[in-house]
Amino acid sequence: MIQKYIFGSPFPTDAVTAQVPQVPGVPPYGTFSLSGGFRFTYTMGADDIVYGLGAANRGINKRGYRYVNSCTDDTMHSEAIQSMYAAHNFIIVSGRETFGLFFDYPSSITFDIGYTRMDTLTVFCPRCDLALYLVEGDSPYDIVRQFRRAIGRSYIPPKFAFGFGQSRWGYKTQAEFRTVVERYRALHIPLDMLYLDIDYMDHYKDFTVNPEEFPDFPGFVSDMADQGVHLVPIIDAGVKVEEGYDVYDEGVEKGYFCKRADGSEFLAAVWPGYTHFPDVLDPEARAWFGEKYRRLIDAGVDGFWNDMNEPSIFYTPEYAEQFRAKLEAALKTVPFNPNAVGAKPKPEARGEYELFYHHVDGRQVRHDLVHNLYGYNMTRAAGEALERIAPDKRMLLFSRSSYIGMHRYGGIWTGDNRSWWSHILLNLKMMASLNMCGFLYAGADLGGFGDNTTRDLLLRWLALGVFTPLMRDHTALGTREQECYQFEDPEDFRHVIGVRYRLVPYLYSEYMKAALNDDMYFKPLAFVYPEDPMAPQVEDQLMLGDQCMIAPVYVQNARGRYVYLPEEMLFVKFLADGTLSQEVLAPGHHYVEVALNEVPLFIRRGRCIPLAEAAETVAALDTAHLTLLGWDGASYELYEDDGVSRSYDDPANYRTLTK
Ligand code: MIG
């Protein structure tokens, strides 16, 4: 059961699509303080678990820290950070009482989940203007299912998006791009996508390509397509200020950019130098910006990633001004205190989100009050346009910043992680929480974005990425080269990524069932084994679909790991020589050995999954000849469609396979 409580005058976010009955008063859990802001306080039982928060830092159980949901471009994903790129304000308390709460509030909101006091959950925001949704159900899983129904069907990508993609910030020349594809193909390492980072553009201008490098861009796109590779260009939030650049000229002329209080266009310096932000909260401006994606679609592109849409700001002229005054004052004291200059790295701390406005329903809304909706609406602009432009063709689309509601338009990647072992685990933990909030198409930069990767880190991370819907190797400018072919014995990479392709029919089928039924693709163990007292403790394994459990190795130099089995399972290893090892393991704790070039998978008792022969692209997979892996006598209901159109509901998409 879902009920809605309205406090003050909430800003409409369109996060919830279902009609939810509104009730007066406050929910019957905890206490509420509604003066001087909004505050919910709840005393947690010793064993209560708090799930949710999507792309937030730390554990599957969010207890023990404070999370400030305010979309932030922070590349230091240490344990300490409280704000990441997204604001997914949905939590589920599971324990003495079990209930879910979605705080539909578009600006900074804090979840103190046992940080100030270990037994106290507080959620607070500075203004008492929000819609609060209470979800009650039999279990956390049931609550998630109900919530998911209320927020609408998750984004469905084309099937090729389940292939492997290579990316790097720094590829610039056509020759560099071609080399990546040549080297993957020469080594027969599967590849479906090649990502174009900002350097493909003409002076970082959205929807342009560098004319010197790509004199015939459509020809380049179709050459790549002939080799089975989809090009996926990046689009940044800021539109370069440059007279004669038509996106800029049109946006100014029509008034589609965010404005300052005095009505002038707000200036933010990002990669292209000064930019304006399209006012994607205004439906007219949103439609206009979305329509620009058509240019690249006309060139043959069928996928995009939206970046810098928190929005990230390097500096503004106003900030430079503030800085000068504070600098002079700070210079009068010894020792010099850089913090006194306001050298805080984030635009929020610099007050820059208070400097511009959105045009909504005839009024001006200051950005900081709706900050968390920007990335959502930039991606919504693209998603709505893609459906208009190509109603019968699914396109790949994912974003860095997001809010619940955006899950209907695109997926996400988890942003600028690092080549750290701990970030394999962070990647795993986030996946289930993201699913709770509607985000099914998701993945991390495999191998790590910042810092230098190592061969073993990349292999272990890929062995997790085999199972995440988005499987992409991406790294930052200036880091060590990270394509699979840069390391010795590339056949190990061919094998690990090949396992992904063998599993694509299964993973796609489970993804589609999850999306079509508002279900989860990844679940915490406790969602599947609610009676098992150990299951809630497990933070480094996940249930995948209805058949499997995954438990990647994430420790350097480890030859295997401990794993907990809530029930008897078939432990499968995809061995480097292409064969499989299979062993039935009893419920309980086990140490399992997993070599660097192996992929482990656990199949639940009485279940089986389909397996294809590996291929170098998703399109080349032979799904007419699948074998079944798992328990004898088991059957599997396979979902398969053409992977492109939107005819999901055709009963012919389902077939039952029996082992
Ligand atoms: O300020 O486009 O998260 O994936 O490679 C950095 C360059 C801007 C941040 C993205 C990253 C991308 C990078 N971008």
Side-chain angles (χ1 to χ4, degrees), residues 75 166-171 176 197 416-420 445-454 457-458 473-483 486-487:
T75 61
Q166 181 63 53
S167 186
R168 179 182 180 88
W169 176 14
Y171 296 149
E176 279 172 298
D197 206 324
D416 298 349
N417 60 14
R418 305 237 167 184
S419 297
W420 296 349
D445 290 349
L446 302 173
F449 178 75
D451 300 326
N452 294 321
T453 203
T454 56
L457 176 66
L458 179 56
D473 173 339
H474 179 49
T475 187
L477 192 67
T479 62
R480 177 181 186 183
E481 291 176 310
Q482 193 171 294
E483 300 85 3
Q486 304 289 359
F487 302 94

mmCIF file of all heavy atoms in Angstrom, residues 75 166-171 176 197 416-420 445-454 457-458 473-483 486-487:
data_model
loop_
_atom_site.group_PDB
_atom_site.id
_atom_site.type_symbol
_atom_site.label_atom_id
_atom_site.label_comp_id
_atom_site.label_asym_id
_atom_site.label_seq_id
_atom_site.Cartn_x
_atom_site.Cartn_y
_atom_site.Cartn_z
ATOM 1 N N THR A 75 35.226 13.461 -7.607
ATOM 2 C CA THR A 75 35.942 12.320 -8.176
ATOM 3 C C THR A 75 36.684 11.525 -7.117
ATOM 4 O O THR A 75 37.383 10.583 -7.445
ATOM 5 C CB THR A 75 36.961 12.798 -9.235
ATOM 6 O OG1 THR A 75 37.884 13.662 -8.577
ATOM 7 C CG2 THR A 75 36.273 13.551 -10.353
ATOM 8 N N GLN A 166 34.318 -0.257 -24.963
ATOM 9 C CA GLN A 166 35.608 0.333 -24.585
ATOM 10 C C GLN A 166 35.493 1.850 -24.654
ATOM 11 O O GLN A 166 34.877 2.399 -25.577
ATOM 12 C CB GLN A 166 36.724 -0.144 -25.523
ATOM 13 C CG GLN A 166 38.095 0.412 -25.172
ATOM 14 C CD GLN A 166 38.580 -0.042 -23.797
ATOM 15 O OE1 GLN A 166 38.600 -1.232 -23.503
ATOM 16 N NE2 GLN A 166 38.932 0.910 -22.928
ATOM 17 N N SER A 167 36.101 2.482 -23.670
ATOM 18 C CA SER A 167 36.048 3.924 -23.578
ATOM 19 C C SER A 167 37.370 4.422 -23.026
ATOM 20 O O SER A 167 38.104 3.672 -22.371
ATOM 21 C CB SER A 167 34.898 4.304 -22.636
ATOM 22 O OG SER A 167 34.693 5.687 -22.610
ATOM 23 N N ARG A 168 37.692 5.647 -23.318
ATOM 24 C CA ARG A 168 38.815 6.313 -22.660
ATOM 25 C C ARG A 168 38.666 7.801 -22.895
ATOM 26 O O ARG A 168 38.365 8.227 -24.010
ATOM 27 C CB ARG A 168 40.151 5.853 -23.227
ATOM 28 C CG ARG A 168 41.322 6.561 -22.572
ATOM 29 C CD ARG A 168 42.676 6.183 -23.131
ATOM 30 N NE ARG A 168 43.666 6.937 -22.392
ATOM 31 C CZ ARG A 168 44.232 6.543 -21.241
ATOM 32 N NH1 ARG A 168 43.971 5.351 -20.756
ATOM 33 N NH2 ARG A 168 45.060 7.318 -20.597
ATOM 34 N N TRP A 169 38.877 8.573 -21.834
ATOM 35 C CA TRP A 169 38.931 10.017 -21.994
ATOM 36 C C TRP A 169 40.313 10.337 -22.565
ATOM 37 O O TRP A 169 41.314 10.061 -21.916
ATOM 38 C CB TRP A 169 38.713 10.687 -20.644
ATOM 39 C CG TRP A 169 38.830 12.171 -20.657
ATOM 40 C CD1 TRP A 169 38.844 13.011 -21.733
ATOM 41 C CD2 TRP A 169 38.954 13.002 -19.504
ATOM 42 N NE1 TRP A 169 38.953 14.313 -21.327
ATOM 43 C CE2 TRP A 169 39.025 14.335 -19.958
ATOM 44 C CE3 TRP A 169 38.993 12.756 -18.132
ATOM 45 C CZ2 TRP A 169 39.145 15.413 -19.082
ATOM 46 C CZ3 TRP A 169 39.115 13.818 -17.266
ATOM 47 C CH2 TRP A 169 39.184 15.140 -17.741
ATOM 48 N N GLY A 170 40.342 10.845 -23.778
ATOM 49 C CA GLY A 170 41.623 11.143 -24.416
ATOM 50 C C GLY A 170 41.681 10.676 -25.865
ATOM 51 O O GLY A 170 42.466 11.205 -26.642
ATOM 52 N N TYR A 171 40.854 9.699 -26.238
ATOM 53 C CA TYR A 171 40.813 9.331 -27.656
ATOM 54 C C TYR A 171 40.368 10.573 -28.425
ATOM 55 O O TYR A 171 39.355 11.200 -28.063
ATOM 56 C CB TYR A 171 39.768 8.249 -27.943
ATOM 57 C CG TYR A 171 39.965 6.896 -27.308
ATOM 58 C CD1 TYR A 171 38.839 6.140 -26.969
ATOM 59 C CD2 TYR A 171 41.217 6.348 -27.091
ATOM 60 C CE1 TYR A 171 38.960 4.877 -26.415
ATOM 61 C CE2 TYR A 171 41.338 5.078 -26.535
ATOM 62 C CZ TYR A 171 40.205 4.352 -26.191
ATOM 63 O OH TYR A 171 40.315 3.111 -25.655
ATOM 64 N N GLU A 176 42.986 6.867 -33.791
ATOM 65 C CA GLU A 176 42.985 6.243 -32.455
ATOM 66 C C GLU A 176 41.746 5.372 -32.257
ATOM 67 O O GLU A 176 41.828 4.265 -31.734
ATOM 68 C CB GLU A 176 43.010 7.316 -31.365
ATOM 69 C CG GLU A 176 44.373 7.887 -31.070
ATOM 70 C CD GLU A 176 44.306 9.072 -30.114
ATOM 71 O OE1 GLU A 176 43.671 10.096 -30.474
ATOM 72 O OE2 GLU A 176 44.866 8.975 -29.029
ATOM 73 N N ASP A 197 34.507 10.187 -26.056
ATOM 74 C CA ASP A 197 34.534 11.165 -24.960
ATOM 75 C C ASP A 197 34.700 12.565 -25.576
ATOM 76 O O ASP A 197 34.789 12.708 -26.805
ATOM 77 C CB ASP A 197 35.642 10.791 -23.961
ATOM 78 C CG ASP A 197 35.361 11.304 -22.555
ATOM 79 O OD1 ASP A 197 34.809 12.412 -22.426
ATOM 80 O OD2 ASP A 197 35.720 10.612 -21.574
ATOM 81 N N ASP A 416 33.120 8.833 -11.613
ATOM 82 C CA ASP A 416 34.589 8.749 -11.601
ATOM 83 C C ASP A 416 35.140 7.980 -10.407
ATOM 84 O O ASP A 416 35.682 8.552 -9.465
ATOM 85 C CB ASP A 416 35.171 10.168 -11.607
ATOM 86 C CG ASP A 416 34.785 10.922 -12.864
ATOM 87 O OD1 ASP A 416 34.261 10.300 -13.802
ATOM 88 O OD2 ASP A 416 35.016 12.148 -12.899
ATOM 89 N N ASN A 417 35.037 6.664 -10.482
ATOM 90 C CA ASN A 417 35.666 5.826 -9.458
ATOM 91 C C ASN A 417 37.178 5.811 -9.690
ATOM 92 O O ASN A 417 37.696 6.551 -10.508
ATOM 93 C CB ASN A 417 35.046 4.422 -9.491
ATOM 94 C CG ASN A 417 35.240 3.749 -10.840
ATOM 95 O OD1 ASN A 417 36.038 4.197 -11.666
ATOM 96 N ND2 ASN A 417 34.513 2.684 -11.082
ATOM 97 N N ARG A 418 37.863 4.958 -8.973
ATOM 98 C CA ARG A 418 39.326 4.883 -9.101
ATOM 99 C C ARG A 418 39.749 3.435 -9.308
ATOM 100 O O ARG A 418 38.996 2.518 -9.022
ATOM 101 C CB ARG A 418 39.986 5.383 -7.820
ATOM 102 C CG ARG A 418 39.541 6.756 -7.440
ATOM 103 C CD ARG A 418 40.697 7.685 -7.328
ATOM 104 N NE ARG A 418 40.178 9.049 -7.270
ATOM 105 C CZ ARG A 418 40.951 10.109 -7.248
ATOM 106 N NH1 ARG A 418 42.259 9.977 -7.294
ATOM 107 N NH2 ARG A 418 40.428 11.298 -7.204
ATOM 108 N N SER A 419 40.983 3.290 -9.735
ATOM 109 C CA SER A 419 41.518 1.940 -9.907
ATOM 110 C C SER A 419 41.945 1.394 -8.548
ATOM 111 O O SER A 419 43.127 1.201 -8.266
ATOM 112 C CB SER A 419 42.697 1.966 -10.885
ATOM 113 O OG SER A 419 42.247 2.383 -12.158
ATOM 114 N N TRP A 420 40.952 1.208 -7.705
ATOM 115 C CA TRP A 420 41.161 0.739 -6.335
ATOM 116 C C TRP A 420 40.371 -0.547 -6.152
ATOM 117 O O TRP A 420 39.223 -0.636 -6.616
ATOM 118 C CB TRP A 420 40.610 1.732 -5.315
ATOM 119 C CG TRP A 420 41.258 3.078 -5.275
ATOM 120 C CD1 TRP A 420 42.418 3.477 -5.885
ATOM 121 C CD2 TRP A 420 40.760 4.216 -4.559
ATOM 122 N NE1 TRP A 420 42.676 4.789 -5.591
ATOM 123 C CE2 TRP A 420 41.682 5.271 -4.777
ATOM 124 C CE3 TRP A 420 39.643 4.436 -3.743
ATOM 125 C CZ2 TRP A 420 41.497 6.533 -4.216
ATOM 126 C CZ3 TRP A 420 39.464 5.688 -3.190
ATOM 127 C CH2 TRP A 420 40.388 6.731 -3.414
ATOM 128 N N ASP A 445 32.780 2.227 -14.128
ATOM 129 C CA ASP A 445 33.945 2.244 -15.024
ATOM 130 C C ASP A 445 34.841 1.073 -14.624
ATOM 131 O O ASP A 445 35.545 1.128 -13.612
ATOM 132 C CB ASP A 445 34.712 3.559 -14.888
ATOM 133 C CG ASP A 445 33.959 4.744 -15.467
ATOM 134 O OD1 ASP A 445 32.932 4.528 -16.161
ATOM 135 O OD2 ASP A 445 34.396 5.887 -15.237
ATOM 136 N N LEU A 446 34.809 0.018 -15.424
ATOM 137 C CA LEU A 446 35.555 -1.195 -15.068
ATOM 138 C C LEU A 446 37.041 -0.948 -15.248
ATOM 139 O O LEU A 446 37.470 -0.355 -16.244
ATOM 140 C CB LEU A 446 35.086 -2.362 -15.938
ATOM 141 C CG LEU A 446 33.583 -2.669 -15.827
ATOM 142 C CD1 LEU A 446 33.178 -3.732 -16.842
ATOM 143 C CD2 LEU A 446 33.221 -3.121 -14.409
ATOM 144 N N GLY A 447 37.807 -1.389 -14.274
ATOM 145 C CA GLY A 447 39.240 -1.121 -14.271
ATOM 146 C C GLY A 447 39.554 0.143 -13.493
ATOM 147 O O GLY A 447 40.682 0.351 -13.061
ATOM 148 N N GLY A 448 38.536 0.980 -13.315
ATOM 149 C CA GLY A 448 38.708 2.210 -12.553
ATOM 150 C C GLY A 448 38.984 3.392 -13.457
ATOM 151 O O GLY A 448 39.732 3.280 -14.432
ATOM 152 N N PHE A 449 38.377 4.521 -13.135
ATOM 153 C CA PHE A 449 38.521 5.747 -13.940
ATOM 154 C C PHE A 449 39.813 6.481 -13.549
ATOM 155 O O PHE A 449 40.743 6.576 -14.334
ATOM 156 C CB PHE A 449 37.286 6.621 -13.731
ATOM 157 C CG PHE A 449 37.333 7.931 -14.461
ATOM 158 C CD1 PHE A 449 37.124 7.979 -15.831
ATOM 159 C CD2 PHE A 449 37.576 9.122 -13.785
ATOM 160 C CE1 PHE A 449 37.163 9.199 -16.515
ATOM 161 C CE2 PHE A 449 37.613 10.342 -14.454
ATOM 162 C CZ PHE A 449 37.408 10.372 -15.823
ATOM 163 N N GLY A 450 39.878 6.970 -12.313
ATOM 164 C CA GLY A 450 41.089 7.672 -11.870
ATOM 165 C C GLY A 450 42.180 6.673 -11.503
ATOM 166 O O GLY A 450 41.909 5.512 -11.212
ATOM 167 N N ASP A 451 43.421 7.123 -11.521
ATOM 168 C CA ASP A 451 44.597 6.325 -11.134
ATOM 169 C C ASP A 451 44.881 5.206 -12.147
ATOM 170 O O ASP A 451 44.122 4.982 -13.079
ATOM 171 C CB ASP A 451 44.442 5.756 -9.714
ATOM 172 C CG ASP A 451 44.271 6.865 -8.685
ATOM 173 O OD1 ASP A 451 44.864 7.942 -8.879
ATOM 174 O OD2 ASP A 451 43.524 6.671 -7.713
ATOM 175 N N ASN A 452 46.006 4.538 -11.903
ATOM 176 C CA ASN A 452 46.466 3.533 -12.856
ATOM 177 C C ASN A 452 45.961 2.153 -12.480
ATOM 178 O O ASN A 452 46.129 1.714 -11.351
ATOM 179 C CB ASN A 452 47.997 3.517 -12.894
ATOM 180 C CG ASN A 452 48.527 4.825 -13.456
ATOM 181 O OD1 ASN A 452 47.951 5.376 -14.402
ATOM 182 N ND2 ASN A 452 49.587 5.336 -12.870
ATOM 183 N N THR A 453 45.384 1.489 -13.443
ATOM 184 C CA THR A 453 44.892 0.147 -13.175
ATOM 185 C C THR A 453 46.050 -0.841 -13.201
ATOM 186 O O THR A 453 47.190 -0.487 -13.524
ATOM 187 C CB THR A 453 43.814 -0.236 -14.210
ATOM 188 O OG1 THR A 453 42.984 -1.267 -13.666
ATOM 189 C CG2 THR A 453 44.433 -0.726 -15.514
ATOM 190 N N THR A 454 45.750 -2.050 -12.833
ATOM 191 C CA THR A 454 46.709 -3.144 -13.007
ATOM 192 C C THR A 454 45.960 -4.274 -13.688
ATOM 193 O O THR A 454 44.727 -4.310 -13.688
ATOM 194 C CB THR A 454 47.259 -3.640 -11.649
ATOM 195 O OG1 THR A 454 46.162 -4.026 -10.818
ATOM 196 C CG2 THR A 454 48.089 -2.558 -10.963
ATOM 197 N N LEU A 457 43.641 -6.185 -11.365
ATOM 198 C CA LEU A 457 42.456 -5.405 -10.964
ATOM 199 C C LEU A 457 41.425 -5.395 -12.094
ATOM 200 O O LEU A 457 40.223 -5.606 -11.877
ATOM 201 C CB LEU A 457 42.858 -3.969 -10.613
ATOM 202 C CG LEU A 457 41.693 -3.025 -10.270
ATOM 203 C CD1 LEU A 457 40.994 -3.447 -8.987
ATOM 204 C CD2 LEU A 457 42.179 -1.589 -10.128
ATOM 205 N N LEU A 458 41.908 -5.166 -13.295
ATOM 206 C CA LEU A 458 40.986 -5.106 -14.428
ATOM 207 C C LEU A 458 40.301 -6.464 -14.635
ATOM 208 O O LEU A 458 39.082 -6.526 -14.827
ATOM 209 C CB LEU A 458 41.735 -4.658 -15.687
ATOM 210 C CG LEU A 458 40.905 -4.573 -16.967
ATOM 211 C CD1 LEU A 458 39.687 -3.655 -16.809
ATOM 212 C CD2 LEU A 458 41.771 -4.084 -18.138
ATOM 213 N N ASP A 473 34.710 -0.658 -20.022
ATOM 214 C CA ASP A 473 36.050 -0.306 -19.544
ATOM 215 C C ASP A 473 36.245 1.173 -19.887
ATOM 216 O O ASP A 473 36.179 1.549 -21.059
ATOM 217 C CB ASP A 473 37.053 -1.216 -20.276
ATOM 218 C CG ASP A 473 38.526 -0.870 -20.023
ATOM 219 O OD1 ASP A 473 38.833 0.269 -19.628
ATOM 220 O OD2 ASP A 473 39.371 -1.752 -20.268
ATOM 221 N N HIS A 474 36.443 2.003 -18.858
ATOM 222 C CA HIS A 474 36.625 3.443 -19.093
ATOM 223 C C HIS A 474 37.672 3.979 -18.135
ATOM 224 O O HIS A 474 37.745 3.554 -16.987
ATOM 225 C CB HIS A 474 35.294 4.180 -18.880
ATOM 226 C CG HIS A 474 35.371 5.666 -19.080
ATOM 227 N ND1 HIS A 474 35.957 6.245 -20.178
ATOM 228 C CD2 HIS A 474 34.918 6.703 -18.312
ATOM 229 C CE1 HIS A 474 35.867 7.578 -20.088
ATOM 230 N NE2 HIS A 474 35.250 7.875 -18.960
ATOM 231 N N THR A 475 38.477 4.901 -18.605
ATOM 232 C CA THR A 475 39.505 5.476 -17.743
ATOM 233 C C THR A 475 39.763 6.937 -18.096
ATOM 234 O O THR A 475 39.342 7.412 -19.148
ATOM 235 C CB THR A 475 40.799 4.640 -17.806
ATOM 236 O OG1 THR A 475 41.722 5.129 -16.825
ATOM 237 C CG2 THR A 475 41.453 4.700 -19.177
ATOM 238 N N ALA A 476 40.447 7.617 -17.193
ATOM 239 C CA ALA A 476 40.640 9.071 -17.318
ATOM 240 C C ALA A 476 41.862 9.416 -18.154
ATOM 241 O O ALA A 476 42.800 8.633 -18.298
ATOM 242 C CB ALA A 476 40.784 9.693 -15.933
ATOM 243 N N LEU A 477 41.834 10.625 -18.619
ATOM 244 C CA LEU A 477 42.972 11.250 -19.293
ATOM 245 C C LEU A 477 44.199 11.112 -18.387
ATOM 246 O O LEU A 477 44.119 11.351 -17.192
ATOM 247 C CB LEU A 477 42.622 12.739 -19.443
ATOM 248 C CG LEU A 477 43.457 13.617 -20.337
ATOM 249 C CD1 LEU A 477 43.289 13.189 -21.789
ATOM 250 C CD2 LEU A 477 43.023 15.072 -20.176
ATOM 251 N N GLY A 478 45.300 10.722 -18.992
ATOM 252 C CA GLY A 478 46.545 10.703 -18.222
ATOM 253 C C GLY A 478 46.801 9.429 -17.436
ATOM 254 O O GLY A 478 47.871 9.257 -16.872
ATOM 255 N N THR A 479 45.843 8.549 -17.358
ATOM 256 C CA THR A 479 46.089 7.289 -16.645
ATOM 257 C C THR A 479 46.715 6.287 -17.612
ATOM 258 O O THR A 479 46.696 6.468 -18.832
ATOM 259 C CB THR A 479 44.796 6.671 -16.088
ATOM 260 O OG1 THR A 479 43.933 6.359 -17.195
ATOM 261 C CG2 THR A 479 44.075 7.620 -15.149
ATOM 262 N N ARG A 480 47.203 5.223 -17.032
ATOM 263 C CA ARG A 480 47.780 4.134 -17.808
ATOM 264 C C ARG A 480 46.757 3.597 -18.812
ATOM 265 O O ARG A 480 45.556 3.575 -18.541
ATOM 266 C CB ARG A 480 48.129 3.035 -16.813
ATOM 267 C CG ARG A 480 48.675 1.796 -17.411
ATOM 268 C CD ARG A 480 48.946 0.808 -16.283
ATOM 269 N NE ARG A 480 49.607 -0.361 -16.810
ATOM 270 C CZ ARG A 480 49.923 -1.418 -16.069
ATOM 271 N NH1 ARG A 480 49.635 -1.429 -14.769
ATOM 272 N NH2 ARG A 480 50.524 -2.440 -16.605
ATOM 273 N N GLU A 481 47.259 3.159 -19.957
ATOM 274 C CA GLU A 481 46.347 2.607 -20.957
ATOM 275 C C GLU A 481 45.651 1.371 -20.391
ATOM 276 O O GLU A 481 46.285 0.543 -19.740
ATOM 277 C CB GLU A 481 47.113 2.285 -22.234
ATOM 278 C CG GLU A 481 47.560 3.581 -22.911
ATOM 279 C CD GLU A 481 48.413 3.354 -24.127
ATOM 280 O OE1 GLU A 481 49.378 2.582 -24.021
ATOM 281 O OE2 GLU A 481 48.097 3.935 -25.180
ATOM 282 N N GLN A 482 44.387 1.271 -20.649
ATOM 283 C CA GLN A 482 43.571 0.300 -19.914
ATOM 284 C C GLN A 482 42.739 -0.611 -20.820
ATOM 285 O O GLN A 482 41.878 -1.357 -20.358
ATOM 286 C CB GLN A 482 42.672 1.099 -18.942
ATOM 287 C CG GLN A 482 41.978 0.294 -17.891
ATOM 288 C CD GLN A 482 41.296 1.161 -16.837
ATOM 289 O OE1 GLN A 482 41.951 1.864 -16.085
ATOM 290 N NE2 GLN A 482 39.981 1.127 -16.781
ATOM 291 N N GLU A 483 42.956 -0.534 -22.125
ATOM 292 C CA GLU A 483 42.223 -1.459 -22.998
ATOM 293 C C GLU A 483 42.747 -2.873 -22.734
ATOM 294 O O GLU A 483 43.918 -3.062 -22.373
ATOM 295 C CB GLU A 483 42.437 -1.113 -24.473
ATOM 296 C CG GLU A 483 41.975 0.287 -24.871
ATOM 297 C CD GLU A 483 43.021 1.363 -24.616
ATOM 298 O OE1 GLU A 483 44.150 1.026 -24.182
ATOM 299 O OE2 GLU A 483 42.701 2.557 -24.831
ATOM 300 N N GLN A 486 46.241 -4.093 -23.819
ATOM 301 C CA GLN A 486 47.475 -3.477 -23.323
ATOM 302 C C GLN A 486 48.245 -4.398 -22.392
ATOM 303 O O GLN A 486 49.351 -4.073 -21.970
ATOM 304 C CB GLN A 486 47.157 -2.171 -22.566
ATOM 305 C CG GLN A 486 46.382 -1.149 -23.356
ATOM 306 C CD GLN A 486 47.192 -0.488 -24.461
ATOM 307 O OE1 GLN A 486 48.382 -0.769 -24.648
ATOM 308 N NE2 GLN A 486 46.536 0.377 -25.227
ATOM 309 N N PHE A 487 47.641 -5.524 -22.039
ATOM 310 C CA PHE A 487 48.250 -6.370 -21.008
ATOM 311 C C PHE A 487 48.696 -7.708 -21.594
ATOM 312 O O PHE A 487 48.201 -8.124 -22.643
ATOM 313 C CB PHE A 487 47.247 -6.599 -19.872
ATOM 314 C CG PHE A 487 46.786 -5.300 -19.273
ATOM 315 C CD1 PHE A 487 45.629 -4.678 -19.719
ATOM 316 C CD2 PHE A 487 47.553 -4.671 -18.296
ATOM 317 C CE1 PHE A 487 45.221 -3.459 -19.194
ATOM 318 C CE2 PHE A 487 47.152 -3.450 -17.769
ATOM 319 C CZ PHE A 487 45.979 -2.846 -18.213
#
